Amino acid sequence: MKRFRLHPWHFWADETGLTCLLIFSLGYFIVLNSLGEFWFGRLAARLFFSLVIVAGVLTTFKQRWLSFLVIVLATASLALNWAEEFRPAACLAVLTNSITLIYLGLLLAVVIAQVFRDGPVTAHRIRGAIVIYLLLGVMWAFAYQVVALSIPQAIRLPEGLTAGDPDALRRELTYFSVVTLTTTGYGDITAVHPVARTLVMLEALVGQLYPAIVLAWLVSLAIMHQKAKP
């Protein structure tokens, strides 16, 4: 009789881990935008984002060739994000956002492969599809921060807010990213520089196309598995 050994990464490599990624991502969005002005809100937001990073590392254990690269990027991202909390500086923020953006890109690719692989449509997969949408919003927010910190006046911010405050910038540009992704467009924050405008256009296109692609995929996959039933 074989002994059963429970490995912690099995949970994350399975579809169940997608649900936890969704919880951590939603926690990050909610806390950052509602309590980000207060010190305890900033700490809580960084904690939720750290959980997203750690959960992403555990999710990639199935892809052995990715594990080493992901662990290195995740460690660097975690260290820089917390260093930025205690020693805020524009140059450090650019480095932090750039490395985190690369890491999130790898995590996004892994989650996409997990969600869109062949198999039955489950609640965890649907939650994973929502995680992809949220990760897209977070990635573009980090991209906007890199542009705003690197190119002066690239993004017109609300009055009283400057790119010299990385915490406030992250909060405002995360809000701007979600508004752009959902093509709401209130106009309180606008892209001025061509690079920033290009990012905005790409995010708006993805925000329109992604829900349609996911809906079509879910319907076709459900029909295919319904026909496969005896």
Side-chain angles (χ1 to χ4, degrees):
M1 181 177 180
K2 293 182 179 179
R3 293 175 61 189
F4 176 75
R5 293 185 299 174
L6 179 63
H7 295 289
W9 57 81
H10 285 174
F11 171 81
W12 296 97
D14 202 335
E15 291 181 359
T16 316
L18 296 173
T19 300
C20 292
L21 265 175
L22 174 61
I23 294 171
F24 297 151
S25 300
L26 284 174
Y28 170 71
F29 271 106
I30 293 170
V31 173
L32 177 67
N33 287 280
S34 60
L35 300 173
E37 294 183 3
F38 308 101
W39 67 267
F40 58 87
R42 290 200 312 271
L43 287 176
R46 289 191 189 278
L47 177 60
F48 271 111
F49 190 70
S50 298
L51 290 173
V52 171
I53 292 175
V54 173
V57 171
L58 295 172
T59 303
T60 61
F61 272 137
K62 234 176 185 179
Q63 290 77 19
R64 298 292 182 182
W65 62 275
L66 267 179
S67 296
F68 177 75
L69 178 59
V70 168
I71 289 172
V72 170
L73 288 171
T75 303
S77 179
L78 275 173
L80 289 170
N81 268 283
W82 284 102
E84 189 182 345
E85 174 66 26
F86 300 105
R87 294 289 296 271
C91 57
L92 179 60
V94 171
L95 179 61
T96 302
N97 294 331
S98 300
I99 291 178
T100 304
L101 188 58
I102 296 171
Y103 169 74
L104 290 176
L106 284 175
L107 176 59
L108 180 67
V110 172
V111 175
I112 287 175
Q114 195 168 346
V115 169
F116 287 93
R117 67 185 178 184
D118 191 26
V121 178
T122 65
H124 292 304
R125 284 204 186 194
I126 294 173
R127 294 179 193 121
I130 300 173
V131 168
I132 293 172
Y133 199 60
L134 294 179
L135 283 177
L136 288 169
V138 174
M139 285 179 63
W140 252 283
F142 278 104
Y144 291 139
Q145 290 173 67
V146 172
V147 172
L149 291 167
S150 303
I151 306 173
Q153 306 301 320
I155 298 175
R156 186 177 294 120
L157 301 167
E159 188 176 351
L161 179 65
T162 65
D165 185 353
D167 288 321
L169 189 66
R170 175 177 293 193
R171 185 173 62 250
E172 292 297 327
L173 291 181
T174 299
Y175 153 78
F176 174 64
S177 178
V178 173
V179 168
T180 304
L181 187 66
T182 56
T183 63
T184 307
Y186 291 115
D188 49 346
I189 302 175
T190 54
V192 178
H193 194 274
V195 174
R197 288 183 173 182
T198 301
L199 285 174
V200 168
M201 288 189 296
L202 290 174
E203 185 176 19
L205 285 172
V206 171
Q208 287 289 297
L209 293 174
Y210 177 77
I213 292 171
V214 170
L215 183 61
W217 168 77
L218 287 173
V219 171
S220 62
L221 203 60
I223 293 174
M224 188 167 55
H225 281 277
Q226 188 68 29
K227 289 180 178 178
K229 286 183 179 180

